[in-house]
Amino acid sequence: MTGNQIEGLVGMLATFGLLVLMVLPSVIGIVRDRRIDRQIREAQEDGESRVRHEKETQKSSSRSTVPSTATWYAEGRRSKKLVNS
């Protein structure tokens, strides 16, 4: 190989190396995002199946779900604090 060919090869390898260094963070980010998306999707599917299982095993109650007086009073106090401050 002549000196010009070696120079061209070194220049081409340097350019390719810089391209890899520029693209690598993006590729790593894409792979990481896909992994996180897959984990979220699996967690949602697990949660849905757990909720479905709980609904099947849950006993229905004939009692009303009206909040107690203490809960109603506490809610009123909290909203007044937010308005005054």
Side-chain angles (χ1 to χ4, degrees):
M1 290 180 86
T2 64
N4 286 341
Q5 289 175 328
I6 292 174
E7 252 184 74
L9 181 63
V10 169
M12 191 170 55
L13 289 175
T15 303
F16 182 70
L18 287 173
L19 177 68
V20 168
L21 286 175
M22 300 274 294
V23 171
L24 191 62
S26 296
V27 172
I28 291 171
I30 290 169
V31 169
R32 182 174 175 261
D33 284 348
R34 286 191 177 197
R35 187 188 78 226
I36 292 171
D37 288 344
R38 180 178 41 85
Q39 290 173 345
I40 289 172
R41 193 170 39 252
E42 288 173 358
Q44 286 176 340
E45 290 171 359
D46 289 346
E48 288 173 0
S49 65
R50 189 178 307 127
V51 167
R52 216 176 302 120
H53 178 68
E54 287 175 1
K55 283 185 179 180
E56 291 172 357
T57 60
Q58 184 180 15
K59 295 179 181 178
S60 66
S61 174
S62 60
R63 287 187 5 183
S64 172
T65 58
V66 176
S68 68
T69 305
T71 305
W72 174 80
Y73 179 75
E75 287 295 324
R77 297 284 295 168
R78 268 190 230 122
S79 64
K80 288 179 184 174
K81 285 182 183 177
L82 291 174
V83 171
N84 290 337
S85 57

